[in-house]
Amino acid sequence: GGSGGNGSSTWCWLGACPDGGGGNMGAPGGTVNVTNTASITTAHSIPIFVHSFGGNGGDGGSGASFYGFWGGSGGSGGYGAAGGAVSVANSGALTSSLKGGFGVFVQSVGGGGGAAGASAGLYALGATGGNAASGDTTTVSNSSLKELRTLYAP
């Protein structure tokens, strides 16, 4: 998923200032399903590499006052979005010469929360950062031979 947009910042010279805008939530990662029945041979890479990432939350905008007593508060950071479910079903032969490699790599990663916006003035309040999100389930089903060879002597 994509990252959330950042909040707008505010700045004023005198008087009470408006608060910075809040960051937007990231977009969730999509569900990924992979089915492979073919033989895959790679040199220096992982034969099956699948992931879903949730977007990061946007950062909050800042609020500041140059001469004013009430500085604007910073905007809150946006929430991160969850990674999507990922599944791989493989029945094809996997061969790789990647040193220390493996045949299948699967992950689901949630996005991080956005940072709180800064605030400045004689009297100004801070804001909160956005919460991070979790990944979703990952499933791998493999019914084939994985041949992993190194090209280099140990």
Side-chain angles (χ1 to χ4, degrees):
S3 293
N6 294 333
S8 60
S9 294
T10 60
W11 178 265
C12 70
W13 289 96
L14 296 170
C17 296
D19 295 336
N24 292 316
M25 181 176 175
T31 299
V32 182
N33 296 305
V34 174
T35 301
N36 178 59
T37 59
S39 295
I40 300 175
T41 300
T42 65
H44 311 295
S45 64
I46 300 167
I48 297 177
F49 187 98
V50 184
H51 58 225
S52 176
F53 288 106
N56 294 325
D59 295 335
S62 57
S65 172
F66 191 65
Y67 289 115
F69 178 73
W70 290 98
S73 296
S76 295
Y79 292 119
V86 180
S87 89
V88 172
N90 178 60
S91 61
L94 305 177
T95 305
S96 176
S97 57
L98 176 65
K99 184 175 183 179
F102 37 88
V104 179
F105 181 87
V106 178
Q107 68 177 350
S108 176
V109 179
S119 57
L122 293 176
Y123 180 77
L125 299 174
T128 57
N131 293 337
S134 59
D136 205 332
T137 58
T138 60
T139 307
V140 176
S141 169
N142 185 60
S143 60
S144 76
L145 172 68
K146 295 179 299 279
E147 181 183 340
L148 305 174
R149 298 174 289 163
T150 182
L151 294 176
Y152 309 100

